[in-house]
Amino acid sequence: MAKVISISNQKGGVGKTTTSVNLACGLALQGKKVLLIDTDPQFNATTGVGYEIDSNSMSMYHVFVGEKTIKDVIIKEIKQNIDLAPSSIDVAAVDLILLEQKHSNQNILKEQIDSVRNNYDFIIIDCPPSLGLINRNGLASSDTVLIPIQAEHYAMHGVAQLLRTIKKVKETLNPSLTIEGVLVTMFDSRTKLAHDVLEEIMKTFGPKVYKAVIPRNIKISESSIEGKSIFEYDKSGLGSIAYSDFVKEVLKENGN
């Protein structure tokens, strides 16, 4: 049965989607069967694995509004060992649609994931940079939440609110939800600021902070544009090495 991990941070531009894509691809390279679920209306995880969405495509929008099941929208083997449940710009309307529902608007995704959970080793959910009902659906359906935080000004801005949301979801929807880990991204080792932020994150989260730190690296950004993982785009580069080390930590923490 799959381990379900949500990648979440309400602050945009922290490497959330890049981490979702590269974690999924890194796990797949280690022989794990992975489902990547994109619930972000910017659909960058969808294009980040090379899938081009169009007006005729089925997406997570159709799942959230009850028109399709997740089995209907999954793209099989978008990359070796990776299936994709794509997002689309229509997902931007989902929070408003779900608000109008009177019941079960925070458990829709959980019910869908439960129907395919036995088909995978890992299910990775790329959550939107907000704390609305889509995000709550992600947290409600997950075993753990992985938090990327960039080593820059205001890095911890909004994290306290995310932690409150996690606590609320634990109390009301998913009592077994825990923090998978905290990944420091966009780390520039040349600056004192980056080291200061890293120290602050480690003081706050302690052993939950991964030893692997993702550097600020242009190749990581370029790989997303090309619809490739960093492992495909720049196999021996610093970004690839860092994400590989991160994936190994995730596997080790999960008994692999």
Side-chain angles (χ1 to χ4, degrees):
M1 183 179 289
K3 172 76 173 283
V4 185
I5 304 173
S6 278
I7 316 290
S8 184
N9 189 328
Q10 74 187 78
K11 192 172 184 295
V14 301
K16 174 185 61 64
T17 295
T18 302
T19 296
S20 298
V21 168
N22 286 307
L23 176 58
C25 290
L27 291 168
L29 286 171
Q30 295 298 317
K32 303 301 180 183
K33 183 65 177 174
V34 182
L35 172 62
L36 175 61
I37 302 176
D38 189 356
T39 65
D40 188 333
Q42 297 177 77
F43 57 91
N44 289 331
T46 297
T47 57
V49 291
Y51 185 70
E52 294 300 323
I53 202 90
D54 61 39
S55 57
N56 296 316
S57 301
M58 294 293 103
S59 76
M60 288 303 297
Y61 167 80
H62 300 92
V63 176
F64 277 117
V65 301
E67 293 179 4
K68 297 289 181 181
T69 69
I70 197 166
K71 292 178 183 177
D72 295 327
V73 307
I74 285 174
I75 311 299
K76 297 283 190 181
E77 290 285 313
I78 189 71
K79 292 183 185 293
Q80 186 173 2
N81 287 333
I82 301 178
D83 291 353
L84 171 71
S87 185
S88 66
I89 196 168
D90 297 330
V91 172
V94 165
D95 267 344
L96 188 58
I97 292 169
L98 294 185
L99 271 174
E100 295 172 351
Q101 294 186 10
K102 298 261 193 273
H103 55 83
S104 299
N105 62 5
Q106 296 179 77
N107 281 308
I108 295 166
L109 187 56
K110 182 182 187 307
E111 293 166 3
Q112 292 295 323
I113 285 176
D114 284 348
S115 73
V116 298
R117 193 162 177 159
N118 287 334
N119 301 338
Y120 301 96
D121 298 306
F122 288 90
I123 296 176
I124 307 299
I125 306 172
D126 185 38
C127 295
S130 69
L131 295 177
L133 285 169
I134 295 177
N135 207 302
R136 283 179 176 248
N137 265 271
L139 296 177
S141 59
S142 297
D143 298 306
T144 60
V145 54
L146 197 155
I147 307 170
I149 304 178
Q150 85 281 34
E152 296 182 347
H153 281 297
Y154 309 117
M156 301 295 285
H157 182 71
V159 172
Q161 191 174 353
L162 173 60
L163 294 176
R164 285 195 294 272
T165 299
I166 292 169
K167 183 173 182 287
K168 185 71 172 176
V169 169
K170 278 177 66 74
E171 291 171 351
T172 58
L173 297 167
N174 185 1
S176 62
L177 181 67
T178 59
I179 293 176
E180 178 78 19
V182 174
L183 179 67
V184 177
T185 63
M186 304 179 190
F187 184 80
D188 187 344
S189 61
R190 300 168 298 178
T191 69
K192 182 178 183 297
L193 173 64
H195 289 279
D196 288 346
V197 171
L198 176 59
E199 186 178 343
E200 181 185 1
I201 293 170
M202 292 183 74
K203 281 180 181 176
T204 303
F205 292 100
K208 286 292 184 182
V209 182
Y210 292 104
K211 293 182 178 66
V213 173
I214 308 303
R216 178 168 287 284
N217 183 276
I218 189 64
K219 296 292 186 182
I220 294 175
S221 302
E222 290 174 354
S223 66
S224 300
I225 296 169
E226 293 293 323
K228 296 178 178 179
S229 72
I230 190 61
F231 310 112
E232 299 167 281
Y233 187 77
D234 189 33
K235 187 175 181 180
S236 58
L238 292 176
S240 181
I241 292 168
Y243 267 115
S244 180
D245 288 344
F246 160 61
V247 170
K248 288 174 185 173
E249 283 189 72
V250 172
L251 284 169
K252 185 177 179 183
E253 287 295 321
N254 285 281
N256 292 277

